[in-house]
Amino acid sequence: MAVQVLTAAKCPTESLSFTNCAIVNEKDFPLDKVRHVEVTTSSNRKYVFTLKGCSGFPSGQIGFSLPMRKWAELSLNQTLEVRPYTFNPNIQYIAKIVLDVDFLDKKTTLEPYDTEKMAKEFVGNFCKQAFTVGQMLAFSFQDMKILKLVVREMEAANIEQMTGNGKATAKRTTQIGLLLPDAVVVFEKAEGSAVNLVGKAKGMTARQSIINPDWDFQKMGIGGLDKEFNAIFRRAFASRVFPPEFVQQLGLKHVRGILLFGPPGTGKTLMARQIGNMLNAREPKIVNGPQILDKYVGESEANIRRLFADAEEEEKRLGPNSGLHIIIFDEIDAICKARGSMAGSSGVHDTVVNQLLAKIDGVESLNNILVIGMTNRKDMIDEALMRPGRLEVQMEIGLPDEKGRLQILNIHTARMKQHDKMANDVDLEELAAKTKNFSGAEIEGLVRAAQSTAMNRLIKASSKVEIDPEATEKIRVCRADFMHALEYDIKPAFGTSAEQIERLISQGIIRWGDPVAEILEDGQLFIQQARAEGSRGLVSVLLEGAPNSGKTALAAKLALSSNFPFVKLCTPEDMVGYSETAKCQLIKKMFDDAYKSHLSCIIVDSVERLLDYGAIGPRYSNLVLQALLVLLKKEPPPGRKLLVLCTSSRKQVLEEMEMLSTFTSILRVPYLNSPEHLVNVLVETSTFRQEEIIKIQGKTENCRFRVGIKTLLAYIDLAKQASDEHRVSKFLTKLEDENCLQGVI
């Protein structure tokens, strides 16, 4: 058939525009003879279309839809040369077609498009139709939004060999082809498209790895937190490594929130910062909790909304393929206190919590965010924020163990080793063993203190400060510098109150008889029980006895001999003038701090004084009593061990308060009650000469004897002040006057 000259026109109806065919009058091209035409434009460009007839369409014109005119760069009323076109079955029959998908208009939806159904409908609508690489199509799928399809590539198969006995040749690409009824159709998202494709006919689009390709896990700089980091990775990031289509098949929602809590200086902020660096995501937004609060009404909530605005916009635009947005809240307890807990407040904190809850997991929740909160006061945070779907991964960043402390020391001394500034006598394993209950920040401070001590040796302080000219070559941080820092500069916040406890036994423990030996022996068994792996984790012992019998000194001796890394003293002296509520909070904080250490010991001295007990009345603080009853029964978290040593001179009072049943065991600390006990003390103290001791022994051997060790030591100190000839008589007289001796002297 001869070439015809036709003018370009609009497609006559909307339904015909979705056929993606060129519309003609059958008088110009009888469709029983011509199915496809080649259109040549005035600029000598050639395009192939499949024809479709329309009754009433003007002769001499050829109609195109808007996407077709855009692709072929055709204008209305443009003159075109149109001639019939025949496909070569050997190289132009399409076995596979790959199409880029996007919305035809600007309005988008996150509703999923099933690519398997799309492929079936596409082949049904366009079978035996001509397509060209780069061609733009309009596709109306199941009355959903109209999609724009662009042909990315096509593969042609050899029909003759496929229908014969021989094996088909390898598929080859083609620029123009005819769609076969059994062709494979693959849909892929166009770049920047928000269309949500699901199903097996979806192309495996290249995904950007969520893990930064330049990231080296060995250079994280996080010591002692390997276990915690692995747990966070498993819960929060493992699902994000897999393709979105696989996650959709599981019906899985990504973890949206992580809460890192623990003592100050243990690496929470460092962990959050490294997570942000590790992920191939948007630049993390780091917010200090107090920065959210604003004096103007509604601004605090607006600040929360602004943090999530970018993630919301990208989620609407790209759906499941949106990038990950990380928001890090430092000191999250400042803005997320339990709602209703702040009496007399303006309610700003409550509305901020409500806004944050709605953004993380509200009605229009986002799946492209990761909120990381950090706090050392987990107990203050609203419970609703910590349920699954919000900050569901809650990881305690605790005090490092010995292996972790060695890692941290290696990290902070790496530069010194590299530049040969650390002496050979420094044993990091020894330092790791000596820094029990040091946090990561305190270990870093220890290294700094040792460095400053080493540098100070090379500074000459005379009338003016001068530096040794060869200081940079001479300086070496040695073991003595670290030991000096350990002894004088850095003390762990969760360590031993050694100085305070050592003052309680400044005169040592005098083993005046079997009762003392038995108490110390039983105490060691309780220490072993508390330390044992199979124990319940809590051992509480009451040392009771008359006033001045040495209960506190024995408790201090047992606590120090335990070698537990956390040993604290709870004494009425520290709470003079405190209200009942303040006392309860201080006692509870001491127990909470103890739970953060693997092995802990607390000495609760003079329990009745803590309870404000008074014999006249009697009067006591029920609030403090109930707090102690709860804490003495509460078992530590799994893997933590706690030994509580209490002292009291009022056993009967504690029994009436139903407190004795809370103790694992009760040890009686008696008075000295025989002359032999007295002689043992005199020998131990070395105050009297041998002949004086014999004289005192002779004077007291027929007396009834009853005195506390603390009182006896006070009398011995008093006798020291007398002259040599009056020392013995002064001592014996004092014992008799205080009714410690009854009988003949």
Side-chain angles (χ1 to χ4, degrees):
M1 192 172 179
V3 176
Q4 295 200 36
V5 178
L6 304 176
T7 57
K10 290 183 179 180
C11 196
T13 66
E14 185 178 359
S15 59
L16 285 174
S17 67
F18 292 130
T19 64
N20 294 292
C21 293
I23 310 302
V24 295
N25 189 312
E26 291 198 39
K27 292 180 181 179
D28 296 325
F29 285 97
L31 299 182
D32 56 341
K33 296 180 180 178
V34 179
R35 285 283 296 132
H36 314 286
V37 294
E38 181 183 73
V39 174
T40 305
T41 65
S42 56
S43 58
N44 204 29
R45 293 182 179 176
K46 297 182 179 355
Y47 301 92
V48 175
F49 296 99
T50 298
L51 296 178
K52 195 169 190 68
C54 175
S55 60
F57 189 74
S59 178
Q61 293 185 2
I62 181 167
F64 300 97
S65 66
L66 180 61
M68 296 168 69
R69 294 201 305 274
K70 280 186 177 180
W71 167 61
E73 298 178 351
L74 303 175
S75 58
L76 296 176
N77 300 319
Q78 181 179 351
T79 301
L80 305 170
E81 291 183 2
V82 183
R83 61 173 57 84
Y85 185 86
T86 303
F87 287 94
N88 183 341
N90 290 324
I91 59 173
Q92 287 187 307
Y93 279 12
I94 301 170
K96 179 180 178 181
I97 184 170
V98 180
L99 302 161
D100 287 337
V101 186
D102 198 358
F103 292 111
L104 193 61
D105 55 23
K106 292 183 179 179
K107 294 181 180 179
T108 62
T109 176
L110 293 179
E111 189 175 353
Y113 284 76
D114 190 330
T115 53
E116 293 176 76
K117 294 179 180 178
M118 287 171 61
K120 187 176 180 181
E121 189 169 324
F122 184 88
V123 173
N125 291 347
F126 305 124
C127 177
K128 298 183 180 179
Q129 190 162 321
F131 290 99
T132 305
V133 172
Q135 183 176 351
M136 187 186 302
L137 314 170
F139 181 46
S140 178
F141 173 62
Q142 294 184 345
D143 298 325
M144 298 170 74
K145 289 186 71 65
I146 301 172
L147 299 175
K148 178 179 74 173
L149 306 180
V150 176
V151 180
R152 179 188 292 185
E153 61 182 55
M154 298 184 295
E155 293 179 358
N158 189 316
I159 298 300
E160 292 180 355
Q161 291 192 10
M162 289 180 66
T163 55
N165 295 327
K167 193 174 182 181
T169 58
K171 294 176 182 177
R172 70 192 77 178
T173 59
T174 181
Q175 292 298 307
I176 301 174
L178 192 70
L179 188 69
L180 293 175
D182 58 351
V184 175
V185 182
V186 177
F187 295 94
E188 294 189 356
K189 279 184 59 171
E191 185 177 353
S193 171
V195 66
N196 183 10
L197 299 179
V198 297
K200 295 181 180 178
K202 177 187 175 185
M204 299 299 290
T205 54
R207 292 182 62 251
Q208 192 177 36
S209 172
I210 191 172
I211 305 299
N212 192 328
D214 299 326
W215 182 253
D216 184 358
F217 283 90
Q218 302 300 320
K219 297 179 181 178
M220 290 187 66
I222 302 178
L225 297 177
D226 298 346
K227 181 180 177 183
E228 289 83 353
F229 186 81
N230 289 337
I232 290 173
F233 189 88
R234 173 179 62 84
R235 290 293 311 281
F237 305 123
S239 63
R240 296 182 184 272
V241 173
F242 289 90
E245 55 268 17
F246 175 76
V247 174
Q248 289 173 347
Q249 291 170 13
L250 293 177
L252 176 67
K253 288 186 177 179
H254 297 303
V255 167
R256 299 190 188 100
I258 302 172
L259 179 66
L260 305 178
F261 65 95
T266 50
K268 300 182 294 296
T269 304
L270 177 62
M271 174 78 82
R273 192 184 300 125
Q274 294 292 43
I275 287 173
N277 293 337
M278 175 194 76
L279 297 179
N280 200 8
R282 303 292 182 272
E283 185 72 22
K285 295 179 180 178
I286 302 175
V287 186
N288 290 322
Q291 289 178 351
I292 293 295
L293 303 178
D294 196 287
K295 65 180 179 179
Y296 295 108
V297 175
E299 275 301 306
S300 299
E301 298 88 324
N303 288 337
I304 293 287
R305 290 194 293 272
R306 291 187 193 103
L307 290 174
F308 291 85
D310 293 341
E312 284 181 329
E313 185 274 330
E314 192 169 322
E315 175 91 358
K316 290 178 182 177
R317 185 164 48 86
L318 299 179
N321 292 285
S322 168
L324 180 63
H325 293 253
I326 302 172
I327 303 172
I328 299 174
F329 285 96
D330 201 2
E331 306 299 341
I332 194 172
D333 54 281
I335 60 170
C336 293
K337 290 183 174 66
R339 288 167 289 182
S341 64
M342 300 183 67
S345 70
S346 62
V348 172
H349 283 85
D350 291 1
T351 54
V352 168
V353 174
N354 294 336
Q355 185 69 78
L356 189 59
L357 294 177
K359 285 299 179 185
I360 297 177
D361 189 29
V363 176
E364 296 181 355
S365 59
L366 303 171
N367 205 32
N368 63 339
I369 58 166
L370 180 65
V371 176
I372 304 176
M374 293 169 288
T375 180
N376 47 34
R377 293 298 305 274
K378 182 187 174 188
D379 56 298
M380 294 178 63
I381 296 178
D382 194 279
E383 290 183 358
L385 196 63
M386 295 188 285
R387 73 152 174 82
R390 290 169 182 164
L391 300 184
E392 64 177 280
V393 178
Q394 296 157 29
M395 185 62 58
E396 181 178 7
I397 308 299
L399 298 169
D401 56 14
E402 187 169 332
K403 178 183 175 184
R405 295 195 296 272
L406 181 59
Q407 290 179 357
I408 297 170
L409 284 166
N410 277 315
I411 290 169
H412 292 300
T413 59
R415 287 286 183 89
M416 288 194 290
K417 293 177 186 173
Q418 180 182 348
H419 297 285
D420 192 27
K421 298 301 179 187
M422 193 163 74
N424 295 329
D425 64 346
V426 177
D427 185 354
L428 295 184
E429 292 185 0
E430 178 195 13
L431 289 175
K434 286 181 175 292
T435 50
K436 290 179 181 177
N437 275 25
F438 274 64
S439 67
E442 287 164 344
I443 292 175
E444 183 181 3
L446 177 74
V447 174
R448 273 200 307 271
Q451 291 169 337
S452 65
T453 304
M455 288 189 289
N456 190 61
R457 286 199 304 270
L458 299 172
I459 296 177
K460 302 173 183 177
S462 52
S463 57
K464 58 181 181 179
V465 176
E466 297 178 354
I467 300 176
D468 188 328
E470 299 178 1
T472 55
E473 298 297 327
K474 289 181 179 179
I475 191 167
R476 294 288 184 279
V477 182
C478 61
R479 180 181 180 277
D481 298 324
F482 282 99
M483 294 301 110
H484 183 276
L486 270 175
E487 185 173 357
Y488 298 105
D489 296 327
I490 306 295
K491 299 294 181 185
F494 298 93
T496 303
S497 302
E499 294 179 4
Q500 189 180 10
I501 295 173
E502 284 170 358
R503 283 201 300 270
L504 300 176
I505 51 175
S506 57
Q507 294 180 303
I509 296 295
I510 298 176
R511 299 173 183 264
W512 49 262
D514 291 339
V516 177
E518 290 173 3
I519 290 170
L520 293 175
E521 183 179 340
D522 290 345
Q524 291 301 320
L525 294 177
F526 291 127
I527 292 170
Q528 293 176 25
Q529 180 184 353
R531 192 190 293 270
E533 289 296 329
S535 67
R536 57 189 283 256
L538 174 65
V539 176
S540 55
V541 181
L542 174 66
L543 284 81
E544 64 86 18
N548 298 322
S549 58
K551 304 177 295 297
T552 304
L554 287 169
K557 175 67 174 178
L558 291 173
L560 292 178
S561 66
S562 70
N563 285 323
F564 284 4
F566 181 96
V567 180
K568 292 294 181 183
L569 176 64
C570 179
T571 172
E573 296 175 12
D574 299 331
M575 302 187 190
V576 173
Y578 278 38
S579 66
E580 289 182 307
T581 305
K583 280 187 180 181
C584 292
Q585 290 175 344
L586 190 62
I587 295 170
K588 183 179 183 300
K589 182 181 184 303
M590 191 167 292
F591 276 81
D592 288 341
D593 289 347
Y595 299 148
K596 294 169 184 174
S597 175
H598 294 286
L599 290 172
S600 307
C601 178
I602 297 177
I603 302 173
V604 183
D605 193 25
S606 299
V607 175
E608 68 277 5
R609 295 279 75 81
L610 279 178
L611 298 176
D612 296 331
Y613 171 76
I616 301 174
R619 299 176 183 177
Y620 67 94
S621 168
N622 186 57
L623 198 62
V624 179
L625 172 63
Q626 298 305 322
L628 279 174
L629 288 174
V630 170
L631 293 171
L632 288 172
K633 286 184 177 180
K634 180 183 177 182
E635 294 191 10
R640 309 293 165 88
K641 308 291 184 181
L642 175 61
L643 172 65
V644 183
L645 301 173
C646 298
T647 69
S648 175
S649 302
R650 297 279 187 169
K651 179 183 177 183
Q652 184 61 38
V653 171
L654 299 187
E655 187 172 3
E656 292 174 2
M657 294 178 180
E658 299 181 351
M659 197 172 183
L660 294 184
S661 60
T662 62
F663 295 102
T664 307
S665 183
I666 301 173
L667 299 179
R668 171 75 179 171
V669 182
Y671 273 165
L672 287 76
N673 53 21
S674 73
E676 291 79 6
H677 294 162
L678 174 61
V679 171
N680 291 338
V681 174
L682 296 177
V683 172
E684 285 273 350
T685 56
S686 303
T687 299
F688 296 95
R689 297 188 298 273
Q690 183 64 32
E691 58 272 19
E692 291 175 326
I693 295 174
I694 294 172
K695 183 178 180 181
I696 294 172
Q697 186 177 11
K699 291 285 188 179
T700 59
E701 60 184 355
N702 295 320
C703 298
R704 290 191 298 275
F705 191 77
R706 188 171 182 275
V707 65
I709 182 65
K710 191 173 179 181
T711 302
L712 185 59
L713 292 174
Y715 295 161
I716 292 174
D717 284 341
L718 179 63
K720 282 182 182 179
Q721 314 310 317
S723 58
D724 291 351
E725 60 270 19
H726 297 105
R727 187 160 50 190
V728 173
S729 60
K730 187 67 177 177
F731 176 68
L732 292 172
T733 303
K734 191 63 178 175
L735 286 176
E736 186 179 19
D737 290 345
E738 298 296 333
N739 294 319
C740 299
L741 294 175
Q742 294 180 3
V744 181
I745 294 184

